[in-house]
Amino acid sequence: VLLLITAMIVLSVLMLTNSKGAWFAFLAALLFSGFYIKKRYVLYILLVLFVIGLILPAVFNFSSINLVKRMASFSGDAGAIDRKFLWLAALRMFYAKPLFGVGLGTFMENYQRFWLKPTTEIAYAHNCYLQALAETGFIGLGAFLLLLFIWLKETLGRLLRPSNSFYYFSFMGLSVGLVAYLLNSFVDTNFYSLPIAVLFWFILGLQQAAGRLANRE
């Protein structure tokens, strides 16, 4: 009961972030976990909790923002429009220096030269992969994607060997969290927020340790 209450509170907080990228990354990661959860009712419970998390803020009037309307708007809000310009600027940086990029950590200093919309605002690309491509080029992003490919291949292989151990379910939960993080990074700045980036590597370490313990069992 405490776990269900906690889950509903956390999901309500997730909805109150008003981050569409986080919402859809969570749902996509939930569907990813569905392939490996043998007891389907667990997945249904999680989906119901997500719906409850969507409804609770409106019931208690925690936010004046219409969450349903927010979820329905994909391309018309200011954030989506700005992302189009930022992503285009990142691609133009990559085209200018495709091999090694414009320099690690220099997107904010360079983007105004490639920005199609007059502005003096300093901003991230809000797509970690495109920003990495712009800053480190094909070599830098390719090395990171190779790491992710090896990690994902190993993770999927371990998930296909299910067990009823605590370590296996810990491994699954941590894996799903990492998948959500990586998906949300397509539309946000996760790699460039130091606390969140440290959290990513910390969870990745826990996930690897849980996977090895599960294999030993």
Side-chain angles (χ1 to χ4, degrees):
V1 172
L2 289 175
L3 181 60
L4 290 173
I5 293 173
T6 303
M8 286 188 287
I9 292 173
V10 171
L11 286 169
S12 296
V13 172
L14 173 65
M15 300 311 301
L16 288 170
T17 63
N18 291 316
S19 172
K20 290 181 290 185
W23 299 342
F24 289 108
F26 173 83
L27 282 174
L30 201 59
L31 293 175
F32 170 81
S33 68
F35 288 104
Y36 303 99
I37 296 177
K38 288 185 176 181
K39 298 177 180 179
R40 292 299 175 187
Y41 71 86
V42 175
L43 183 62
Y44 300 147
I45 290 174
L46 292 173
L47 289 171
V48 169
L49 288 175
F50 181 80
V51 174
I52 294 174
L54 172 64
I55 295 173
L56 277 181
V59 171
F60 293 100
N61 197 25
F62 290 157
S63 174
S64 60
I65 296 175
N66 188 327
L67 296 178
V68 176
K69 184 178 180 181
R70 173 73 174 162
M71 292 186 74
S73 63
F74 288 95
S75 58
D77 60 5
I81 294 172
D82 283 344
R83 277 172 171 77
K84 292 178 183 178
F85 287 107
L86 287 165
W87 295 353
L88 184 57
L91 289 173
R92 294 179 72 190
M93 288 186 204
F94 168 67
Y95 294 148
K97 295 186 177 181
L99 199 58
F100 295 105
V102 296
L104 184 63
T106 63
F107 178 86
M108 288 73 73
E109 297 179 9
N110 285 285
Y111 88 100
Q112 293 186 30
R113 295 192 294 114
F114 299 91
W115 178 253
L116 300 179
K117 180 181 175 183
T119 183
T120 58
E121 182 182 357
I122 302 299
Y124 292 91
H126 284 80
N127 183 317
C128 294
Y129 304 98
L130 282 181
Q131 184 162 337
L133 184 65
E135 291 183 349
T136 63
F138 177 79
I139 299 296
L141 180 63
F144 182 63
L145 292 180
L146 178 61
L147 171 67
L148 292 183
F149 173 78
I150 295 171
W151 167 80
L152 184 61
K153 182 179 178 182
E154 179 184 294
T155 296
L156 295 179
R158 287 180 176 173
L159 287 174
L160 290 173
R161 300 190 297 272
S163 69
N164 291 322
S165 72
F166 167 80
Y167 295 116
Y168 175 79
F169 287 110
S170 298
F171 177 78
M172 177 187 289
L174 292 166
S175 300
V176 172
L178 290 169
V179 168
Y181 176 96
L182 293 170
L183 291 174
N184 189 38
S185 298
F186 277 101
V187 293
D188 220 321
T189 60
N190 296 343
F191 295 173
Y192 300 94
S193 170
L194 182 58
I196 301 177
V198 170
L199 181 63
F200 168 76
W201 293 108
F202 179 73
I203 293 176
L204 182 62
L206 286 177
Q207 184 245 15
Q208 291 293 295
R212 292 180 182 179
L213 289 170
N215 283 344
R216 289 178 186 176
E217 286 191 339

